[in-house]
Amino acid sequence: MRAFLTIILCAVSVALAAQTGAPLITSQDLLDGLKDPTRWLTYGGDYSSTRHSPLTQITPENVNQLTAQWTFQTGTTGSFQTTPLVVDGVLYVTGYNNNAWAVDARSGRQIWRYRREIPEDWKGCCGAVNRGFGVLGDRLYMTTIDAHLVALDMRTGGVLFDAELIDYKAGYSATVAPLVVKDKVIVGVAGAEYGIRGFIDAYDAQTGKRAWRFYTVAKPGEPGGNTWPRGDAYLRGGGSIWVTGSYDPQQNLVFYGTGNPGPDYYSGAREGDNLYTASLVALNADTGELAWHYQFTPHDVHDWDSTQVPVLADLTIGGQLRKVLMFANRNGFFYVLDRVTGKVILAKPFVETTWAKEIGADGRPVMLPGHLPDEDGEKTCPDLGGGTNFFSPSFNPTTRLFYVTARETCATYYGYEQTFKQGQQYTGGATTRPRDQKNFGALRALDPVTAQLKWEFRYTLGTTSSSGVLSTASGLVFAGDGEGNILAFDGRTGKNLWHYQLGVPIRSTAGTTYMVDGRQYLLVPSGSALTAFALPQRP
Amino acid sequence: MTRIAFLFLAVSALLQAQETPAKNPAANNPHLGNPQSIRSGMALYRTRCADCHGLDAGGYRGPDLTAVLAGGATDERLFGTIRKGVPGTEMPPMNDDPDDDILMIIAYLRKIGTVPPSDRPAGNVDNGARLFTAQCANCHRVAGKGGRIGPDLTRVGTSRSRSALVREIRTPNEWIPPAFETVSLVTKDGQRVRGIKKNEDVFSIQVMDTRERIQGYLKSNLQELVYEKTSLMPAFPAGRLNDSDLNDLVGYLGTLRGADLTVK
């Protein structure tokens, strides 16, 4: 009897080993990006972060028939800022307060839930948000608000490893969706409002051990360190990483936008350019070595994190095919960089900007006077929320249009000296909205070769949008307004073709799209709910 | 400038307010020893806790609370655990309940919970571990290793009494944990799937199949769906696992009290 059982058990073991031994998602799958239409495997859709899907079932002609199929309510507080991943008919979603779920993509029903307690003494400037999972093999990777990286079992949500990035008590947190490159999981930390020194880390996907670290704030004596005052100001220099970077496999470089210097508004605490804050850094994916950097806003005093999404493409400019990196910056300028050399190809404002006349031939902004915050306040456009922000843009390589949620805003900025105390906010100032200011938001389509505005769709006067953008190969663009609508547009003309009131404005993402059982779904996170749309099924 | 000073003061006040951690209400529990509160606590305990922890708090599917109390758990810790639940286990948070409800439950537990536990883990733990690897690990995970079709047992030593473990090994069909009930289905295109039900509504069912694939199915796409009465967990009667081995196995399971998955 026992021998018989043993045979059965052995047979079961072999079957299980065969199944569980094979990784679900390989490095090659990640390189292939959106080629398999049933998947969405990384924050930006693929390594280029274009958020442009090859799917064509939903078209400008039939998009007005899109119908809600299901809604998943998390039952938690806080707003989604996440990009759900899609693998084999299952959605993997991170949410507010260290929560995550696996959800059936067909029905919106929960399969498992992960929850991690937040320490009672954790503090953060901007809510316990999370921007999504990374995936490799049968593992999901998630940063936690208390600055850890956890690996979860895709099938159960069980924890496989728990790596501390750094002690959260020193003001650090983590919200970024990990970028998985080969066998490494790349993440960063937030907390520039709490006097941190930011960094980008890579961890071994199997063991969770740290492979490399790149500090986004250079130490005096090291390259870039002469852009900080002598002493220890660099230790509170900011440079958060809270939006996922992009990856160029040919160069083996990852590209990350870095956050504002700290303290945010008080210039006197940190004379100099403050490298590598408010910059784009290109790092070797294996070693973390800096290949090049470009600083968008030297010595930023307006809290303009450059933590927007770097979008990679190959563009013909002046008759030459150039490897470029497109970047709509919080400081109000749209940049096209050569992603091999880091040199500026083009930089033009895409919203009203009052602080710089232009970006000079040397790549530095030509500053206009009167925009250094002091105790009396100074008015600058855009406001601290910026011309755009962390919400993802999209790029359609066929129409060659760059779609971005733009904000037309101004603020009065105040700056004053503040004594640093660990665990307390360290911003050195504040902002107010000028009484006569009428903010508004718009979805804008830019020609990246000229930065010319091709079309815009203006949202309601008085509110701005924090929604990201998604485009599809059928010529559609999806984005959200500041009032809770998800809207579909003709990507060529900007004509509004469809909308649906979600009840809560979209933050960060405009959603993802994927195929299951031959149907194309549009999945939109807003508030603490996910809503899936599809065309009606024919009987 | 005045506005700045005002802003700054407001921010400072806010920061100070954030700085003071909320005091644990159990630090000063007015219900301790109050007969009326203890009666209310008993009523609350029976409706909210007894299903898992047993009517006598001696543990059923959930831990033996008399052992927890005898082990020196403070009222503050009890309050925190009841309020927040325990992530990764079946213990839910009591998010929306007033502090007083939880404090009355604690007052009740303090009244009854002074008896030391009678069934401490015993047996040959090494032999239990060997038995576990041979007989259980294909389906159950411990510290990230093993199968996934059965419940993760990484901290089963803290969440099951010894008698509950014995019952679940000898007669697993007596109670099947939620998210582990057996189903088999046939899709309209003839695909046969057997596994455990993770979730279900009128229109769809979510399953982990015996190859550990998680997948949802629309019921309109199924030609057959059978809810099996028995667990995928085989029963281990005395003829298959003698009392001595069972004792060793349970002894080993009692040592599973969570894993430190922190990367050093």
Side-chain angles (χ1 to χ4, degrees), chain A residues 27 30-31 42 45-49 179-182 245-247 249 312:
Chain A
S27 304
L30 294 174
L31 286 167
T42 191
D46 63 15
Y47 280 141
S48 67
S49 302
L179 180 69
V180 179
V181 175
K182 294 186 261 189
S246 305
Y247 174 59
L312 312 185

Side-chain angles (χ1 to χ4, degrees), chain A residues 146-367:
Chain A
D146 47 333
H148 284 234
L149 169 69
V150 292
L152 304 184
D153 186 326
M154 275 179 87
R155 298 177 177 97
T156 65
V159 178
L160 296 170
F161 71 65
D162 176 351
E164 184 188 59
L165 309 181
I166 193 163
D167 188 355
Y168 70 86
K169 288 181 184 137
Y172 290 84
S173 51
T175 60
V176 68
L179 180 69
V180 179
V181 175
K182 294 186 261 189
D183 61 346
K184 293 189 176 62
V185 183
I186 301 172
V187 296
V189 285
E193 277 66 43
Y194 281 81
I196 64 150
R197 183 187 184 200
F199 53 79
I200 302 171
D201 272 356
Y203 291 83
D204 183 289
Q206 272 307 311
T207 64
K209 287 199 184 300
R210 196 168 90 204
W212 52 257
R213 169 168 292 180
F214 174 81
Y215 281 105
T216 54
V217 177
K219 183 180 176 181
E222 293 179 355
N226 58 357
T227 63
W228 290 90
R230 283 188 199 159
D232 63 358
Y234 77 101
L235 291 173
R236 303 178 290 278
S240 300
I241 298 293
W242 46 281
V243 171
T244 307
S246 305
Y247 174 59
D248 178 350
Q250 282 181 329
Q251 296 191 82
N252 195 34
L253 293 180
V254 292
F255 304 99
Y256 274 86
T258 65
N260 61 279
D264 303 41
Y265 308 107
Y266 181 58
S267 167
R270 47 177 176 82
E271 293 295 329
D273 279 356
N274 308 139
L275 286 174
Y276 301 92
T277 65
S279 299
L280 196 292
V281 292
L283 308 179
N284 181 298
D286 299 332
T287 63
E289 201 182 335
L290 181 70
W292 56 260
H293 75 276
Y294 172 71
Q295 191 171 37
F296 298 105
T297 318
H299 191 72
D300 166 54
V301 284
H302 296 105
D303 192 12
W304 288 332
D305 298 70
S306 289
T307 45
Q308 290 76 59
V309 178
V311 180
L312 312 185
D314 294 347
L315 289 181
T316 304
I317 299 174
Q320 260 192 317
L321 190 67
R322 305 283 296 267
K323 289 181 183 304
V324 307
L325 181 155
M326 296 172 279
F327 203 96
N329 196 293
R330 193 159 158 176
N331 70 14
F333 282 82
F334 172 73
Y335 297 81
V336 179
L337 306 182
D338 182 317
R339 73 171 184 271
V340 180
T341 64
K343 301 288 179 223
V344 177
I345 297 173
L346 172 144
K348 296 267 175 68
F350 67 100
V351 294
E352 184 190 6
T353 55
T354 61
W355 62 281
K357 181 166 167 268
E358 60 187 3
I359 306 301
D362 59 355
R364 287 184 74 88
V366 179
M367 306 297 287

Side-chain angles (χ1 to χ4, degrees), chain A residues 21-46:
Chain A
L24 289 173
I25 300 300
T26 64
S27 304
Q28 185 59 46
D29 292 330
L30 294 174
L31 286 167
D32 289 344
L34 294 168
K35 275 184 193 163
D36 178 342
T38 68
R39 291 174 168 180
W40 190 288
L41 299 180
T42 191
Y43 182 73
D46 63 15

Side-chain angles (χ1 to χ4, degrees), chain A residues 479-524:
Chain A
D481 66 11
E483 270 86 22
N485 286 301
I486 170 84
L487 304 98
F489 301 92
D490 183 323
R492 287 183 188 276
T493 64
K495 186 183 175 198
N496 177 219
L497 302 171
W498 170 82
H499 74 274
Y500 180 91
Q501 173 58 244
L502 295 157
V504 187
I506 300 165
R507 285 180 72 77
S508 182
T509 173
T512 50
T513 185
Y514 56 87
M515 297 293 285
V516 176
D517 299 337
R519 292 180 90 191
Q520 182 184 350
Y521 286 82
L522 169 71
L523 179 71
V524 187

